[in-house]
Amino acid sequence: MTTTQHPAADTFEMRFTSTPRGARLARRLVAVRLDAWGIPYGTEPHDDIVLIVAELTANAVRHGHVPGRDFHLRVRTAPDSGTVRVEVTDPRLERLPRRPAVPESAGAEETGRGLVLVAGLAARWDWHPRPDGPGKTVWAEYRFPGPSVPWSAERGTRLKGLGS
């Protein structure tokens, strides 16, 4: 019997203040963590995942804010499926995300394009009620193009074509 060894999944999770500063810090910490996981700065996957994090955390601050309550971010690699999953949980259930429609006058509004961007970058996204209290979790899965993923079984080894 032959077994295939997949690299271990990595997870980063943390609570952040439900403020623009908290969303900015979440985005920056995820950028550093992705690079440490072998998804280097300046690559399309890194930039796409960071943009997904930025949009979901900004939405949690803008639409999911409850005074005195934080939002929770979780980012997890799934090397066996070639995906990175981003989950953002906020304490507000009465304001649910809607499936975005492409605006008729693209570029006219200054807001409202966040989930359009997420839908364009992610392989799939959705939301579900928070299981351990009031609120919801909005999640998105980024799938790496092609047959390989940027991390290898050896920690810190980057695959060819994704940076030095």
Side-chain angles (χ1 to χ4, degrees), residues 4-10 37 77-81 149-155:
T4 303
Q5 186 75 11
H6 293 288
D10 287 307
W37 289 343
T77 64
D80 54 336
S81 66
V149 294
W151 53 88
S152 71
E154 280 184 49
R155 273 290 161 244

Side-chain angles (χ1 to χ4, degrees), residues 11-88:
T11 302
F12 169 74
E13 58 186 309
M14 190 171 180
R15 290 197 176 282
F16 294 90
T17 59
S18 191
T19 63
R21 180 176 279 176
R24 204 168 35 251
L25 178 60
R27 183 185 76 237
R28 288 181 177 167
L29 290 177
V30 168
V32 169
R33 190 59 56 111
L34 291 172
D35 186 64
W37 289 343
I39 306 168
Y41 284 102
T43 61
E44 187 174 327
H46 184 277
D47 294 346
D48 288 352
I49 296 165
V50 170
L51 182 55
I52 290 169
V53 169
E55 293 301 333
L56 294 185
T57 58
N59 283 350
V61 169
R62 174 169 260 192
H63 304 292
H65 175 74
V66 171
R69 303 286 305 271
D70 298 336
F71 70 87
H72 182 262
L73 168 71
R74 182 175 191 233
V75 179
R76 180 177 166 87
T77 64
D80 54 336
S81 66
T83 62
V84 172
R85 182 177 173 105
V86 176
E87 299 175 354
V88 178

